């Protein structure tokens, strides 16, 4: 099992938290381009699918939780990644 599959499985099984750095790595491996915006907003764009994922970089912790984690999972399911 490669790194991408391991991260995908880790995301699939995440219940409460998921490391931000793992999400950034996974999105890059899937072909998303990262663009830092004003404040803590970060936009991830996938040109081939013409879809965007807009998130706020978590702080002070470095983990997605709650609604942000649910939003990422929903996006991954909608786009056929999960």
């Amino acid at each position: 099992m490669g790194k991408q599959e391991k991260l995908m499985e880790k995301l699939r099984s995440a219940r409460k938290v998921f490391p931000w750095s793992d999400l950034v790595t996974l999105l890059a491996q899937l072909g998303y381009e990262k663009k830092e915006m004003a404040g803590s907003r970060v936009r991830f764009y996938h040109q081939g699918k013409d879809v965007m994922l807009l998130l706020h970089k978590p702080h002070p912790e470095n983990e997605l939780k709650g609604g942000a984690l649910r939003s990422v999972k929903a996006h991954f399911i909608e786009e056929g990644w999960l």
Side-chain angles (χ1 to χ4, degrees), residues 50-61:
D50 194 31
V51 294
M52 186 181 324
L53 179 61
L54 181 63
L55 297 168
H56 285 261
K57 185 175 181 182
H59 53 81
E61 303 91 20

Side-chain angles (χ1 to χ4, degrees), residues 18-74:
F18 190 76
W20 174 258
S21 59
D22 286 353
L23 178 65
V24 172
T25 299
L26 181 57
L27 288 169
Q29 290 175 348
L30 293 172
Y32 284 78
E33 297 173 21
K34 177 182 173 188
K35 178 166 184 192
E36 305 268 340
M37 300 176 70
S40 63
R41 290 180 292 177
V42 182
R43 181 175 66 193
F44 296 93
Y45 178 71
H46 192 285
Q47 191 169 10
K49 290 184 172 251
D50 194 31
V51 294
M52 186 181 324
L53 179 61
L54 181 63
L55 297 168
H56 285 261
K57 185 175 181 182
H59 53 81
E61 303 91 20
N62 212 11
E63 297 175 324
L64 287 176
K65 18 178 139 164
L69 181 56
R70 285 190 299 275
S71 175
V72 167
K73 284 183 169 186

Side-chain angles (χ1 to χ4, degrees), residues 1 4 12 30 54 58 70 79:
M1 184 183 301
Q4 181 176 329
R12 185 178 291 115
L30 293 172
L54 181 63
R70 285 190 299 275
E79 295 307 318

